[in-house]
Amino acid sequence: MAALRLCLLGCLVSALSYDAAAASLPRTEFNPVRNRPGAATEAGSQRVIVKMRDAVVAKASASPPLDARLTSIEARGKLSLRSMRAIAKNLQVVELESQIAGESAQQALERLRADPDVQYAVADRAVYAHATSNDPLAPGQWYLTAAQPSAINANSAWDATTGSNGVVIAVLDTGARFEHPDLRRASLGGRLLPGYDFISANSGGGFFTANDGDGRDADPSDAGDWVATSEVKPGCNTSSNSSWHGTRVAGIIGALTNNSAGVAGISWGGWLLPVRVLGKCGGATSDILAAMLWAAGQHVDGVPDNPYPAQILNLSLGSEGSCDAASADVVRMLSTQGVLVVASAGNEGGPVDSPANCPGVAAIAGLRHIGTKVGFSSLGPEIALSAPGGNCVNVNGGPCLFSIDTTSNDGLTTAGNNTYTDQTSFNVGTSFSAPIVSGIGALMLSVNGNLKSMQLIARLREGASKPFPVSTDSTVPLCHVPIGPSDVQSAECSCTTSTCGAGMANAAGAVTAALRPIAAIAIGSTITPGGNVTLQGGGSAAACGRSITGYAWTVVSSSGALPGVVGANTTTAVVVAPATGTTTLRLTVTDNLGRQDAADITLSSNSASTTAPPNAGNSACRAAIIVPLQLPLISVAATDASAAEPGTDTGTFTLTRSGDLGSALAVSIVMSGTATSGVDYQSLPSTVNFPSGQASVTLTVTPIDDAQVEAAESVTLTIVDDAPYDLGAPNNASVTINDNDVAPPVAPAASGGGGGAFDLPALLCLLALLAAARLPAPTRAGFLRSTARIAR
């Protein structure tokens, strides 16, 4: 860890010299992440999210199906309604069109809202990613240190915890690049769970937004969200390259850390659940709401249930306007379940976007490195707290010194090389402020799994106790609450608690706050005027590895005389209810390390109210979620060349992988010739690539045709045990190849059969015959008999 700290601090050396050169420059920053297009003005039908009243549902359960109820509404309102899909119980998406000539879409929507069977109806608004930035690469995660005022001091938080494998953070975004070496699939030793793609078909049919050829499916891979010039249209009025936005967001929360590569994530131990909701030109609110419910573990029709429910949802996206009824409804459901929703404020410099402005959401604004609001960040009273958003006041066109560096990709359209953002390929926006807070939330849950959404928000705010700095530059004003969409503060301003939340996000402070116990109060008796009331605090819970050791009940205030408390230092207290007025009591619980939490309950003559839970739970140490590893196994089969023939014979190697085929895989190979015959073979690449979904690759080995007489050669292919995958022992195979363009000479066969070896005795006999031919006949006969004996 010390080495990591030094590395992160070292990355700041060039940045620390920045302010001296730029302090006098005006900080009316250009907005590199403003990307919300003008509203679409399409005529005709519109998609609407409708919720039926419960009474209608009760009647419907007896007989009328959904289509029949829509038919009744159509008849009453002179509307055309076509059901598209359900989001949740009573909540659905319909296509709405007026049957009155010349009526506007808004007028038709108002008449639908007025129907007595409709609880609410809201437009299915387009939603856009809150930051798209240029491209990739980089060291320099200044925002993790304590070296700048707005940095989150993650180093100190990591002394207490680096995260837990019992925590799941859902990233609702453009999807993710599963093959990025700093993310990777959980089944291959990485951080990314399987996830899901929630982008449905466009209203007119087709999958322009999804950009992957189909609708909802189990593949949340980022297919790219580029917009060609020819694709510009209302609501999507700017051409752009692919942003790889979801991959950037995921890397900030939980890039693989201590792996000797890339960047550090804020939470080292949790799982990331990629949920694809944004594509070309953004996405639809209806898809996002369905994805939010699914990510949190709730059932969504037509989609298999999520086996890895998330405790934190990160939404680095938004839409102009106030929180609509459907978004507020879904956030309420999730908040009741205890799920934390973190959303970016927006990059318009005006009022906070939806869903960040919905009650129960932790809305996050963006800060410059010195703690003032970065020019592009939206702001307002809905903000829970603020976090670094990156800032680019460049001197003479120099680098963006305070980029939020993270994982990315360099593909301009479809995916290219996996990379990282840096000061040149910078990354800024409130989209990256939100995941910083989501990562801190994951650290908090790792030390106290009993914390629910509202408790997490309260303790995030508690941990952000360092006040906002006020700029000493007289040209930098105080931020003010926007009075409307046109009230844009695009320049730097000094934050206040009414515009930028409770303070600056601080990982160390938030983890310290999370380590406190949770006070719980339950009422154990009926409340009557002047009667005894039993209050129970035994449901209080301590953080992971700790225990509650002390309980203290005290009277804070009373309309009359202060009542006495029986059992004031036990789990159960008894107090007399007031005959009139109210009495407020406080329970303070203390853990074995002296940390405390308190909760109040106010009694009247016949009722009680408290914000404390009746039971704080018993899952302080979250059980680890085990994701089965499916490491790739590579086998190699070899096929020799065919029988010798004129020309060159070729052999093949077939590499087959098993395990998880969902992501691309590259393995290194080494080719070598083992014979000494001199045959040369065609070189093969040093890396074999398996595209996503592909199980086998065949390589052909061909000898080089050099018109020389050469014998066969054995060629061996060996797979190298290559990081980041452990492929086991080296796996190899051999093939035989032969370059035989010129056939070797063959001696002509002798007539009358063949002979034996031509040795020394035979030579002596031949010489003897030649000599004998010159002797007289009697002498020649004796000489030949003697020579024959020698030969034998």
Side-chain angles (χ1 to χ4, degrees), residues 100-130:
I100 300 176
E103 184 178 49
S104 70
Q106 183 61 34
Q107 289 173 318
L109 179 58
E110 292 299 336
R111 286 192 298 104
L112 175 62
R113 288 171 174 164
D115 191 281
D117 285 343
V118 174
Q119 181 173 334
Y120 62 74
V122 297
D124 188 4
R125 294 187 292 190
V127 178
Y128 303 94
H130 265 164

PDB file of all heavy atoms in Angstrom, residues 100-130:
ATOM      1  N   ILE A 100     -57.772  13.315 -31.892  1.00  0.00           N
ATOM      2  CA  ILE A 100     -58.360  14.618 -32.205  1.00  0.00           C
ATOM      3  C   ILE A 100     -57.409  15.348 -33.138  1.00  0.00           C
ATOM      4  O   ILE A 100     -56.241  15.579 -32.798  1.00  0.00           O
ATOM      5  CB  ILE A 100     -58.601  15.443 -30.924  1.00  0.00           C
ATOM      6  CG1 ILE A 100     -59.566  14.700 -29.993  1.00  0.00           C
ATOM      7  CG2 ILE A 100     -59.127  16.827 -31.264  1.00  0.00           C
ATOM      8  CD1 ILE A 100     -59.780  15.395 -28.665  1.00  0.00           C
ATOM      9  N   ALA A 101     -57.871  15.726 -34.282  1.00  0.00           N
ATOM     10  CA  ALA A 101     -57.017  16.373 -35.281  1.00  0.00           C
ATOM     11  C   ALA A 101     -56.461  17.686 -34.737  1.00  0.00           C
ATOM     12  O   ALA A 101     -57.180  18.486 -34.131  1.00  0.00           O
ATOM     13  CB  ALA A 101     -57.815  16.637 -36.557  1.00  0.00           C
ATOM     14  N   GLY A 102     -55.153  17.870 -34.940  1.00  0.00           N
ATOM     15  CA  GLY A 102     -54.504  19.121 -34.561  1.00  0.00           C
ATOM     16  C   GLY A 102     -54.126  19.227 -33.099  1.00  0.00           C
ATOM     17  O   GLY A 102     -53.518  20.224 -32.689  1.00  0.00           O
ATOM     18  N   GLU A 103     -54.460  18.221 -32.298  1.00  0.00           N
ATOM     19  CA  GLU A 103     -54.123  18.298 -30.876  1.00  0.00           C
ATOM     20  C   GLU A 103     -52.649  17.992 -30.670  1.00  0.00           C
ATOM     21  O   GLU A 103     -52.089  17.098 -31.305  1.00  0.00           O
ATOM     22  CB  GLU A 103     -54.968  17.309 -30.070  1.00  0.00           C
ATOM     23  CG  GLU A 103     -54.737  17.414 -28.574  1.00  0.00           C
ATOM     24  CD  GLU A 103     -55.630  16.461 -27.793  1.00  0.00           C
ATOM     25  OE1 GLU A 103     -55.687  15.269 -28.156  1.00  0.00           O
ATOM     26  OE2 GLU A 103     -56.246  16.901 -26.820  1.00  0.00           O
ATOM     27  N   SER A 104     -51.996  18.727 -29.769  1.00  0.00           N
ATOM     28  CA  SER A 104     -50.579  18.511 -29.497  1.00  0.00           C
ATOM     29  C   SER A 104     -50.390  17.273 -28.630  1.00  0.00           C
ATOM     30  O   SER A 104     -51.326  16.814 -27.955  1.00  0.00           O
ATOM     31  CB  SER A 104     -49.980  19.727 -28.796  1.00  0.00           C
ATOM     32  OG  SER A 104     -50.480  19.834 -27.468  1.00  0.00           O
ATOM     33  N   ALA A 105     -49.158  16.783 -28.630  1.00  0.00           N
ATOM     34  CA  ALA A 105     -48.827  15.623 -27.806  1.00  0.00           C
ATOM     35  C   ALA A 105     -49.031  15.935 -26.324  1.00  0.00           C
ATOM     36  O   ALA A 105     -49.494  15.081 -25.551  1.00  0.00           O
ATOM     37  CB  ALA A 105     -47.386  15.194 -28.069  1.00  0.00           C
ATOM     38  N   GLN A 106     -48.694  17.145 -25.894  1.00  0.00           N
ATOM     39  CA  GLN A 106     -48.855  17.522 -24.493  1.00  0.00           C
ATOM     40  C   GLN A 106     -50.331  17.545 -24.096  1.00  0.00           C
ATOM     41  O   GLN A 106     -50.706  17.108 -22.994  1.00  0.00           O
ATOM     42  CB  GLN A 106     -48.224  18.899 -24.241  1.00  0.00           C
ATOM     43  CG  GLN A 106     -48.267  19.362 -22.796  1.00  0.00           C
ATOM     44  CD  GLN A 106     -47.520  18.424 -21.849  1.00  0.00           C
ATOM     45  OE1 GLN A 106     -46.503  17.839 -22.232  1.00  0.00           O
ATOM     46  NE2 GLN A 106     -48.027  18.271 -20.646  1.00  0.00           N
ATOM     47  N   GLN A 107     -51.199  18.020 -24.974  1.00  0.00           N
ATOM     48  CA  GLN A 107     -52.628  18.039 -24.674  1.00  0.00           C
ATOM     49  C   GLN A 107     -53.179  16.620 -24.530  1.00  0.00           C
ATOM     50  O   GLN A 107     -54.015  16.346 -23.658  1.00  0.00           O
ATOM     51  CB  GLN A 107     -53.375  18.796 -25.778  1.00  0.00           C
ATOM     52  CG  GLN A 107     -53.123  20.298 -25.769  1.00  0.00           C
ATOM     53  CD  GLN A 107     -53.741  20.989 -26.982  1.00  0.00           C
ATOM     54  OE1 GLN A 107     -53.667  20.475 -28.114  1.00  0.00           O
ATOM     55  NE2 GLN A 107     -54.337  22.157 -26.768  1.00  0.00           N
ATOM     56  N   ALA A 108     -52.717  15.724 -25.387  1.00  0.00           N
ATOM     57  CA  ALA A 108     -53.153  14.325 -25.285  1.00  0.00           C
ATOM     58  C   ALA A 108     -52.694  13.721 -23.967  1.00  0.00           C
ATOM     59  O   ALA A 108     -53.437  12.973 -23.312  1.00  0.00           O
ATOM     60  CB  ALA A 108     -52.596  13.533 -26.465  1.00  0.00           C
ATOM     61  N   LEU A 109     -51.466  14.040 -23.557  1.00  0.00           N
ATOM     62  CA  LEU A 109     -50.950  13.523 -22.298  1.00  0.00           C
ATOM     63  C   LEU A 109     -51.768  14.054 -21.121  1.00  0.00           C
ATOM     64  O   LEU A 109     -52.067  13.308 -20.174  1.00  0.00           O
ATOM     65  CB  LEU A 109     -49.473  13.894 -22.153  1.00  0.00           C
ATOM     66  CG  LEU A 109     -48.769  13.452 -20.866  1.00  0.00           C
ATOM     67  CD1 LEU A 109     -48.848  11.939 -20.702  1.00  0.00           C
ATOM     68  CD2 LEU A 109     -47.303  13.897 -20.891  1.00  0.00           C
ATOM     69  N   GLU A 110     -52.154  15.336 -21.170  1.00  0.00           N
ATOM     70  CA  GLU A 110     -52.946  15.907 -20.082  1.00  0.00           C
ATOM     71  C   GLU A 110     -54.302  15.214 -19.972  1.00  0.00           C
ATOM     72  O   GLU A 110     -54.812  14.972 -18.865  1.00  0.00           O
ATOM     73  CB  GLU A 110     -53.134  17.414 -20.305  1.00  0.00           C
ATOM     74  CG  GLU A 110     -51.865  18.233 -20.171  1.00  0.00           C
ATOM     75  CD  GLU A 110     -51.248  18.142 -18.787  1.00  0.00           C
ATOM     76  OE1 GLU A 110     -51.980  17.850 -17.811  1.00  0.00           O
ATOM     77  OE2 GLU A 110     -50.015  18.341 -18.679  1.00  0.00           O
ATOM     78  N   ARG A 111     -54.916  14.870 -21.088  1.00  0.00           N
ATOM     79  CA  ARG A 111     -56.205  14.178 -21.024  1.00  0.00           C
ATOM     80  C   ARG A 111     -56.048  12.749 -20.514  1.00  0.00           C
ATOM     81  O   ARG A 111     -56.935  12.232 -19.828  1.00  0.00           O
ATOM     82  CB  ARG A 111     -56.880  14.197 -22.400  1.00  0.00           C
ATOM     83  CG  ARG A 111     -57.430  15.592 -22.723  1.00  0.00           C
ATOM     84  CD  ARG A 111     -58.359  15.637 -23.925  1.00  0.00           C
ATOM     85  NE  ARG A 111     -57.707  15.242 -25.164  1.00  0.00           N
ATOM     86  CZ  ARG A 111     -57.874  14.071 -25.764  1.00  0.00           C
ATOM     87  NH1 ARG A 111     -58.686  13.176 -25.242  1.00  0.00           N
ATOM     88  NH2 ARG A 111     -57.249  13.787 -26.884  1.00  0.00           N
ATOM     89  N   LEU A 112     -54.940  12.113 -20.823  1.00  0.00           N
ATOM     90  CA  LEU A 112     -54.692  10.791 -20.256  1.00  0.00           C
ATOM     91  C   LEU A 112     -54.539  10.884 -18.736  1.00  0.00           C
ATOM     92  O   LEU A 112     -55.069  10.061 -17.988  1.00  0.00           O
ATOM     93  CB  LEU A 112     -53.431  10.187 -20.885  1.00  0.00           C
ATOM     94  CG  LEU A 112     -52.966   8.838 -20.311  1.00  0.00           C
ATOM     95  CD1 LEU A 112     -54.037   7.767 -20.517  1.00  0.00           C
ATOM     96  CD2 LEU A 112     -51.651   8.408 -20.961  1.00  0.00           C
ATOM     97  N   ARG A 113     -53.812  11.902 -18.280  1.00  0.00           N
ATOM     98  CA  ARG A 113     -53.619  12.083 -16.834  1.00  0.00           C
ATOM     99  C   ARG A 113     -54.947  12.326 -16.111  1.00  0.00           C
ATOM    100  O   ARG A 113     -55.098  11.981 -14.946  1.00  0.00           O
ATOM    101  CB  ARG A 113     -52.675  13.261 -16.595  1.00  0.00           C
ATOM    102  CG  ARG A 113     -51.230  12.992 -16.948  1.00  0.00           C
ATOM    103  CD  ARG A 113     -50.396  14.258 -16.897  1.00  0.00           C
ATOM    104  NE  ARG A 113     -48.980  13.982 -17.095  1.00  0.00           N
ATOM    105  CZ  ARG A 113     -48.077  14.909 -17.394  1.00  0.00           C
ATOM    106  NH1 ARG A 113     -48.455  16.185 -17.537  1.00  0.00           N
ATOM    107  NH2 ARG A 113     -46.814  14.572 -17.562  1.00  0.00           N
ATOM    108  N   ALA A 114     -55.879  12.947 -16.809  1.00  0.00           N
ATOM    109  CA  ALA A 114     -57.150  13.289 -16.187  1.00  0.00           C
ATOM    110  C   ALA A 114     -58.089  12.094 -16.044  1.00  0.00           C
ATOM    111  O   ALA A 114     -59.107  12.184 -15.347  1.00  0.00           O
ATOM    112  CB  ALA A 114     -57.834  14.392 -17.004  1.00  0.00           C
ATOM    113  N   ASP A 115     -57.781  10.982 -16.680  1.00  0.00           N
ATOM    114  CA  ASP A 115     -58.658   9.820 -16.605  1.00  0.00           C
ATOM    115  C   ASP A 115     -58.703   9.297 -15.167  1.00  0.00           C
ATOM    116  O   ASP A 115     -57.658   9.168 -14.509  1.00  0.00           O
ATOM    117  CB  ASP A 115     -58.166   8.715 -17.540  1.00  0.00           C
ATOM    118  CG  ASP A 115     -59.178   7.604 -17.696  1.00  0.00           C
ATOM    119  OD1 ASP A 115     -59.275   6.742 -16.798  1.00  0.00           O
ATOM    120  OD2 ASP A 115     -59.910   7.608 -18.708  1.00  0.00           O
ATOM    121  N   PRO A 116     -59.882   8.958 -14.648  1.00  0.00           N
ATOM    122  CA  PRO A 116     -60.005   8.512 -13.245  1.00  0.00           C
ATOM    123  C   PRO A 116     -59.292   7.204 -12.938  1.00  0.00           C
ATOM    124  O   PRO A 116     -58.994   6.927 -11.773  1.00  0.00           O
ATOM    125  CB  PRO A 116     -61.521   8.377 -13.055  1.00  0.00           C
ATOM    126  CG  PRO A 116     -62.076   8.216 -14.440  1.00  0.00           C
ATOM    127  CD  PRO A 116     -61.188   9.023 -15.322  1.00  0.00           C
ATOM    128  N   ASP A 117     -59.012   6.397 -13.949  1.00  0.00           N
ATOM    129  CA  ASP A 117     -58.326   5.130 -13.714  1.00  0.00           C
ATOM    130  C   ASP A 117     -56.808   5.261 -13.735  1.00  0.00           C
ATOM    131  O   ASP A 117     -56.094   4.282 -13.507  1.00  0.00           O
ATOM    132  CB  ASP A 117     -58.734   4.100 -14.775  1.00  0.00           C
ATOM    133  CG  ASP A 117     -60.131   3.564 -14.532  1.00  0.00           C
ATOM    134  OD1 ASP A 117     -60.631   3.739 -13.405  1.00  0.00           O
ATOM    135  OD2 ASP A 117     -60.713   2.984 -15.458  1.00  0.00           O
ATOM    136  N   VAL A 118     -56.301   6.456 -14.032  1.00  0.00           N
ATOM    137  CA  VAL A 118     -54.852   6.670 -14.146  1.00  0.00           C
ATOM    138  C   VAL A 118     -54.339   7.388 -12.905  1.00  0.00           C
ATOM    139  O   VAL A 118     -54.804   8.478 -12.569  1.00  0.00           O
ATOM    140  CB  VAL A 118     -54.524   7.485 -15.414  1.00  0.00           C
ATOM    141  CG1 VAL A 118     -53.038   7.841 -15.453  1.00  0.00           C
ATOM    142  CG2 VAL A 118     -54.921   6.702 -16.657  1.00  0.00           C
ATOM    143  N   GLN A 119     -53.376   6.746 -12.216  1.00  0.00           N
ATOM    144  CA  GLN A 119     -52.769   7.393 -11.046  1.00  0.00           C
ATOM    145  C   GLN A 119     -51.814   8.491 -11.493  1.00  0.00           C
ATOM    146  O   GLN A 119     -51.810   9.584 -10.958  1.00  0.00           O
ATOM    147  CB  GLN A 119     -52.029   6.373 -10.187  1.00  0.00           C
ATOM    148  CG  GLN A 119     -51.381   6.962  -8.940  1.00  0.00           C
ATOM    149  CD  GLN A 119     -50.801   5.900  -8.029  1.00  0.00           C
ATOM    150  OE1 GLN A 119     -51.244   4.752  -8.036  1.00  0.00           O
ATOM    151  NE2 GLN A 119     -49.813   6.265  -7.241  1.00  0.00           N
ATOM    152  N   TYR A 120     -50.966   8.184 -12.466  1.00  0.00           N
ATOM    153  CA  TYR A 120     -50.133   9.208 -13.085  1.00  0.00           C
ATOM    154  C   TYR A 120     -49.717   8.734 -14.464  1.00  0.00           C
ATOM    155  O   TYR A 120     -49.730   7.529 -14.765  1.00  0.00           O
ATOM    156  CB  TYR A 120     -48.917   9.591 -12.236  1.00  0.00           C
ATOM    157  CG  TYR A 120     -47.921   8.478 -11.959  1.00  0.00           C
ATOM    158  CD1 TYR A 120     -47.056   8.013 -12.953  1.00  0.00           C
ATOM    159  CD2 TYR A 120     -47.801   7.924 -10.685  1.00  0.00           C
ATOM    160  CE1 TYR A 120     -46.125   7.021 -12.694  1.00  0.00           C
ATOM    161  CE2 TYR A 120     -46.870   6.932 -10.417  1.00  0.00           C
ATOM    162  CZ  TYR A 120     -46.039   6.477 -11.420  1.00  0.00           C
ATOM    163  OH  TYR A 120     -45.113   5.501 -11.165  1.00  0.00           O
ATOM    164  N   ALA A 121     -49.361   9.698 -15.303  1.00  0.00           N
ATOM    165  CA  ALA A 121     -48.844   9.414 -16.648  1.00  0.00           C
ATOM    166  C   ALA A 121     -47.755  10.438 -16.932  1.00  0.00           C
ATOM    167  O   ALA A 121     -47.989  11.646 -16.813  1.00  0.00           O
ATOM    168  CB  ALA A 121     -49.948   9.499 -17.691  1.00  0.00           C
ATOM    169  N   VAL A 122     -46.578   9.971 -17.276  1.00  0.00           N
ATOM    170  CA  VAL A 122     -45.453  10.871 -17.536  1.00  0.00           C
ATOM    171  C   VAL A 122     -44.812  10.477 -18.856  1.00  0.00           C
ATOM    172  O   VAL A 122     -44.818   9.305 -19.250  1.00  0.00           O
ATOM    173  CB  VAL A 122     -44.396  10.824 -16.406  1.00  0.00           C
ATOM    174  CG1 VAL A 122     -45.001  11.306 -15.102  1.00  0.00           C
ATOM    175  CG2 VAL A 122     -43.809   9.429 -16.239  1.00  0.00           C
ATOM    176  N   ALA A 123     -44.268  11.450 -19.535  1.00  0.00           N
ATOM    177  CA  ALA A 123     -43.574  11.169 -20.787  1.00  0.00           C
ATOM    178  C   ALA A 123     -42.362  10.289 -20.529  1.00  0.00           C
ATOM    179  O   ALA A 123     -41.670  10.440 -19.509  1.00  0.00           O
ATOM    180  CB  ALA A 123     -43.143  12.474 -21.439  1.00  0.00           C
ATOM    181  N   ASP A 124     -42.125   9.364 -21.425  1.00  0.00           N
ATOM    182  CA  ASP A 124     -40.940   8.509 -21.337  1.00  0.00           C
ATOM    183  C   ASP A 124     -39.772   9.309 -21.905  1.00  0.00           C
ATOM    184  O   ASP A 124     -39.430   9.219 -23.075  1.00  0.00           O
ATOM    185  CB  ASP A 124     -41.167   7.225 -22.132  1.00  0.00           C
ATOM    186  CG  ASP A 124     -40.065   6.204 -21.921  1.00  0.00           C
ATOM    187  OD1 ASP A 124     -39.166   6.469 -21.097  1.00  0.00           O
ATOM    188  OD2 ASP A 124     -40.099   5.160 -22.583  1.00  0.00           O
ATOM    189  N   ARG A 125     -39.164  10.131 -21.038  1.00  0.00           N
ATOM    190  CA  ARG A 125     -38.172  11.096 -21.487  1.00  0.00           C
ATOM    191  C   ARG A 125     -36.883  10.436 -21.949  1.00  0.00           C
ATOM    192  O   ARG A 125     -36.496   9.377 -21.451  1.00  0.00           O
ATOM    193  CB  ARG A 125     -37.850  12.077 -20.357  1.00  0.00           C
ATOM    194  CG  ARG A 125     -39.014  12.957 -19.967  1.00  0.00           C
ATOM    195  CD  ARG A 125     -38.600  14.015 -18.966  1.00  0.00           C
ATOM    196  NE  ARG A 125     -38.241  13.466 -17.673  1.00  0.00           N
ATOM    197  CZ  ARG A 125     -38.039  14.210 -16.591  1.00  0.00           C
ATOM    198  NH1 ARG A 125     -38.149  15.522 -16.655  1.00  0.00           N
ATOM    199  NH2 ARG A 125     -37.713  13.655 -15.447  1.00  0.00           N
ATOM    200  N   ALA A 126     -36.228  11.094 -22.876  1.00  0.00           N
ATOM    201  CA  ALA A 126     -34.893  10.658 -23.286  1.00  0.00           C
ATOM    202  C   ALA A 126     -33.906  11.008 -22.185  1.00  0.00           C
ATOM    203  O   ALA A 126     -34.014  12.046 -21.532  1.00  0.00           O
ATOM    204  CB  ALA A 126     -34.489  11.335 -24.585  1.00  0.00           C
ATOM    205  N   VAL A 127     -32.942  10.141 -21.968  1.00  0.00           N
ATOM    206  CA  VAL A 127     -31.935  10.314 -20.926  1.00  0.00           C
ATOM    207  C   VAL A 127     -30.569  10.216 -21.572  1.00  0.00           C
ATOM    208  O   VAL A 127     -30.363   9.421 -22.501  1.00  0.00           O
ATOM    209  CB  VAL A 127     -32.091   9.241 -19.825  1.00  0.00           C
ATOM    210  CG1 VAL A 127     -31.024   9.385 -18.760  1.00  0.00           C
ATOM    211  CG2 VAL A 127     -33.477   9.334 -19.189  1.00  0.00           C
ATOM    212  N   TYR A 128     -29.616  10.998 -21.085  1.00  0.00           N
ATOM    213  CA  TYR A 128     -28.295  11.057 -21.702  1.00  0.00           C
ATOM    214  C   TYR A 128     -27.199  10.870 -20.668  1.00  0.00           C
ATOM    215  O   TYR A 128     -27.348  11.247 -19.499  1.00  0.00           O
ATOM    216  CB  TYR A 128     -28.098  12.406 -22.417  1.00  0.00           C
ATOM    217  CG  TYR A 128     -29.160  12.668 -23.441  1.00  0.00           C
ATOM    218  CD1 TYR A 128     -30.291  13.405 -23.113  1.00  0.00           C
ATOM    219  CD2 TYR A 128     -29.059  12.138 -24.720  1.00  0.00           C
ATOM    220  CE1 TYR A 128     -31.293  13.625 -24.052  1.00  0.00           C
ATOM    221  CE2 TYR A 128     -30.053  12.351 -25.657  1.00  0.00           C
ATOM    222  CZ  TYR A 128     -31.161  13.099 -25.322  1.00  0.00           C
ATOM    223  OH  TYR A 128     -32.146  13.301 -26.245  1.00  0.00           O
ATOM    224  N   ALA A 129     -26.112  10.297 -21.094  1.00  0.00           N
ATOM    225  CA  ALA A 129     -24.943  10.182 -20.219  1.00  0.00           C
ATOM    226  C   ALA A 129     -24.481  11.575 -19.835  1.00  0.00           C
ATOM    227  O   ALA A 129     -24.480  12.491 -20.650  1.00  0.00           O
ATOM    228  CB  ALA A 129     -23.818   9.433 -20.940  1.00  0.00           C
ATOM    229  N   HIS A 130     -24.050  11.735 -18.589  1.00  0.00           N
ATOM    230  CA  HIS A 130     -23.704  13.059 -18.116  1.00  0.00           C
ATOM    231  C   HIS A 130     -22.302  13.493 -18.494  1.00  0.00           C
ATOM    232  O   HIS A 130     -21.938  14.621 -18.236  1.00  0.00           O
ATOM    233  CB  HIS A 130     -23.857  13.119 -16.591  1.00  0.00           C
ATOM    234  CG  HIS A 130     -25.192  13.653 -16.185  1.00  0.00           C
ATOM    235  ND1 HIS A 130     -25.697  13.513 -14.929  1.00  0.00           N
ATOM    236  CD2 HIS A 130     -26.139  14.331 -16.881  1.00  0.00           C
ATOM    237  CE1 HIS A 130     -26.881  14.084 -14.853  1.00  0.00           C
ATOM    238  NE2 HIS A 130     -27.173  14.576 -16.034  1.00  0.00           N
TER     239      HIS A 130
END
